[in-house]
Amino acid sequence: TAGTGKTTLAAHFVEAACARGEKCLYFLFEESPQQMLRNMASAGIDLGKWVDRGLLTFAAERPSRYGLENHLLQMHNAVEIHDPGVVVVDPITNLMAVGSHTDVRSMLTRLIDFLKMRGVTALFASLASGGESIESTETLISSLMDTWILVAVDTVRDHRERKLYVLKSRGMAHSDDVRSFRFTSHGIELMPSRSPAARAVRRRARAGKGRKRK
């Protein structure tokens, strides 16, 4: 839902790719590039340096400016011009303003197929409404995704606690832990896992350090 950290998570994704020397193309449907840069700087993520080095390009459009076919054409053209290794679309749910569920799903299916054919790694941010199941998406495209990372907010003892977990990841081993995280001056910080297995690993690590000191 809103305020869970989807865009900040996407910014970390882009930051890591640019640090590896990969070119990134970021499609914004909600904010201007200037807003994005300012907001992420306040979270300790400096995306401006990657823009200056030519590794990160923003393409910002209001969904209402074009129909879905024109949006798809504009995105294809941008990918062909900039030839990125990584693409972010944030958020895809804003496209619902210019098309039905079926139309948006069809458009995104074609976009995903186009990116896969070019070997592009893509991250799609999707907003869930507060009244629906947290493990559903308004655009009904979860089946198209190879990996689904879910971020949510719980109210715990009179404060909001953000949580993250991997709901699915096709063909890849992944953690089943639900991890709490927080925003810091250097971006998102994951809290230690509270699962029994993770706690046992930490106990063994602490015990090993104690023996070394002796």
Side-chain angles (χ1 to χ4, degrees):
T1 53
T4 51
K6 299 180 297 299
T7 298
T8 308
L9 193 66
H12 271 286
F13 180 67
V14 166
E15 166 86 357
C18 290
R20 294 192 299 268
E22 298 180 43
K23 291 176 67 177
C24 300
L25 178 59
Y26 201 120
F27 291 102
L28 286 164
F29 288 125
E30 202 164 55
E31 298 178 309
S32 68
Q34 292 76 22
Q35 287 176 309
M36 176 70 176
L37 292 173
R38 184 185 65 243
N39 293 342
M40 292 305 103
S42 70
I45 305 172
D46 180 11
L47 297 181
K49 64 183 179 183
W50 304 119
V51 174
D52 294 340
R53 297 178 192 179
L55 287 171
L56 174 59
T57 301
F58 288 104
E61 290 289 357
R62 287 293 181 187
S64 56
R65 184 173 181 182
Y66 305 114
L68 290 175
E69 286 295 322
N70 274 337
H71 274 299
L72 182 62
L73 178 61
Q74 295 287 336
M75 295 169 87
H76 277 209
N77 288 342
V79 170
E80 289 174 346
I81 290 169
H82 297 288
D83 193 26
V86 167
V87 162
V88 175
V89 183
D90 182 17
I92 56 176
T93 31
N94 279 28
L95 294 170
M96 295 299 300
V98 290
S100 67
H101 282 72
T102 301
D103 292 337
V104 173
R105 179 185 172 89
S106 175
M107 177 261 197
L108 291 173
T109 300
R110 291 158 64 191
L111 176 61
I112 290 166
D113 288 343
F114 171 71
L115 295 175
K116 283 188 173 183
M117 283 193 302
R118 294 182 65 94
V120 175
T121 300
L123 186 149
F124 296 81
S126 179
L127 180 69
S129 297
E132 67 182 16
S133 168
I134 198 66
E135 295 182 357
S136 66
T137 55
E138 289 185 0
T139 46
L140 306 176
I141 63 158
S142 60
S143 62
L144 305 177
M145 299 297 153
D146 294 320
T147 297
W148 185 355
I149 300 171
L150 195 145
V151 286
V153 174
D154 283 343
T155 302
V156 180
R157 296 173 186 169
D158 299 326
H159 75 277
R160 301 171 78 231
E161 185 173 302
R162 291 178 174 85
K163 295 184 178 180
L164 174 152
Y165 62 96
V166 180
L167 186 61
K168 74 168 188 178
S169 191
R170 290 195 187 110
M172 289 176 277
H174 61 277
S175 171
D176 292 324
D177 290 348
V178 177
R179 299 283 292 275
S180 296
F181 69 92
R182 63 185 181 185
F183 294 132
T184 71
S185 59
H186 52 273
I188 287 175
E189 181 180 330
L190 281 176
M191 300 295 100
S193 173
R194 298 174 183 173
S195 71
R199 287 198 296 267
V201 168
R202 289 198 293 271
R203 282 197 299 270
R204 288 196 295 270
R206 287 195 295 269
K209 289 179 180 177
R211 286 193 292 272
K212 286 179 183 177
R213 283 197 294 269
K214 291 178 182 178

